[in-house]
Amino acid sequence: MRILHIGDIVGKPGRDIVRMACYGLRKREGLSLIVANAENACGGSGLTPAAYKEIIDCGIDCITMGDHIYRRKELFQTLQSQNNIVKPANFPKTAPGKDFAIVESASGIRVAVISIMARVFMRPVDCPWEAVDRVLSLIPASVKVRCVDFHGEATSDKQVMGRYLDGRVSYVLGTHTHVPTADEQIFKGGTAFQCDVGMTGPHESIIGRNIERVTETTITFRPTQFDVARDDVRLTGSIVDIDPETGRATGIRRIQIREEEAKALQAEYPQDASR
C-alpha cells in the first residue's frame, strides 16, 4: 500500500491547497491512505471543528496533532468523539483526545496512526519512549501497518525515535519544524524515516508567517501579530510504500506540490460529485 503523510497544514492557504490537490494526488499516485498534521490549520495555530471537517472532506483519512492541539478549546469534543484524529500519546491521560487511531483503506487494510511529541526544546510532556511502547502494546497484532508522527524540534530526538522503533512500525516521520529534511531512508528493520516532512502552506514566509512581522519582533522585541502569509503556497509531505502483510516499508520519497500543479491535478482529476 502507499501512504502520503502531509506536513503541518498552516492556515487557510494550507487548507486550500490540500483541497485542490488531495483527490488528484490520490488518483495519480495510487494512494491507499492520506495522513496529515493539522495542528496549525486555523490562523496558523490550532484547529476548529469546522476546519477538521473541511480537511476530512478533502480526502484526508486521519489527522495528527502536536503542541498547538488545544489552542482552540472548541475542538475538545471533536477530539473525544471522532476516531480519525489523535493527540500526542504522551500527553496526560486527562488531556482530551485519543492516543491512537485505526483507520481503514478502501481495500480494507487497517492502519494504526500514532502521534508522539518530543521533549527537547518542547513543552514538558511524559516520556515519549514509554508512551509509544504503551500504545503499541494496545494495537492488535493483526494491524501490521503502523504509522508514527513524531512532533519535535531536535533532529537528534527524532533519529533516536526512528532507531528505537525500527522494525516495530512502518514509518516514523517528523513534523513541527515546517522545514523538510533530505534524510528520507529505510532502516535495516524496515521502518521508513525522515526527520521532518515539511509544511503545507505559504513558503514565502517565516515557517508560514508574515516575514515582516516575524522579523520586526525578532530584531526589536516589539510584539506583533504573526499573521499567516499568503504567497508561494505548497503542499509538502512524503509518500511511503508499505508491504501490508509485514508492515515493512519498501520505499519513501519526498513530494512537493505547488499551486500550479495543484490546479492541474484538480483539472485532470475532477472530484466526484458524491465525494
Side-chain angles (χ1 to χ4, degrees), residues 9 36 62-63 106 128 178 198 203 209 232 249 255 270-271:
I9 299 171
C62 192
I63 291 174
H178 294 203
H203 282 243
R209 303 303 184 96
D232 191 13
I255 188 169
Q271 195 164 343

Side-chain angles (χ1 to χ4, degrees), residues 67-84:
D67 53 312
H68 295 160
I69 183 173
Y70 302 132
R71 293 294 177 90
R72 313 287 179 126
K73 63 182 181 180
E74 59 266 39
L75 187 69
F76 290 1
Q77 185 174 357
T78 301
L79 288 166
Q80 296 286 63
S81 63
Q82 299 302 314
N83 295 319
N84 57 2

Side-chain angles (χ1 to χ4, degrees), residues 106-231:
S107 62
I109 300 169
R110 294 198 297 164
V111 176
V113 179
I114 306 166
S115 173
I116 298 287
M117 200 165 89
R119 292 191 293 191
V120 176
F121 307 128
M122 303 290 285
R123 66 184 298 184
V125 288
D126 294 341
C127 176
W129 329 111
E130 291 181 357
V132 76
D133 283 341
R134 172 179 53 81
V135 172
L136 287 174
S137 73
L138 299 174
I139 296 171
S142 59
V143 180
K144 301 294 185 182
V145 181
R146 302 176 176 198
C147 307
V148 176
D149 178 332
F150 194 38
H151 196 77
E153 288 277 1
T155 52
S156 56
D157 233 16
K158 294 177 179 181
Q159 289 179 358
V160 171
M161 182 60 81
R163 297 291 183 179
Y164 184 71
L165 292 178
D166 185 24
R168 295 198 283 157
V169 302
S170 305
Y171 69 65
V172 176
L173 297 178
T175 57
H176 180 69
T177 69
H178 294 203
V179 178
T181 54
D183 61 337
E184 68 276 14
Q185 61 192 293
I186 299 176
F187 292 143
K188 291 180 180 179
T191 294
F193 174 80
Q194 186 181 353
C195 274
D196 205 289
V197 296
M199 176 189 80
T200 294
H203 282 243
E204 180 63 21
S205 68
I206 305 293
I207 61 171
R209 303 303 184 96
N210 182 289
I211 295 170
E212 289 73 21
R213 296 287 182 88
V214 176
T215 302
E216 180 183 347
T217 294
T218 302
I219 293 173
T220 69
F221 278 22
R222 289 194 296 266
T224 62
Q225 181 68 39
F226 286 2
D227 300 329
V228 174
R230 297 182 179 182
D231 296 331

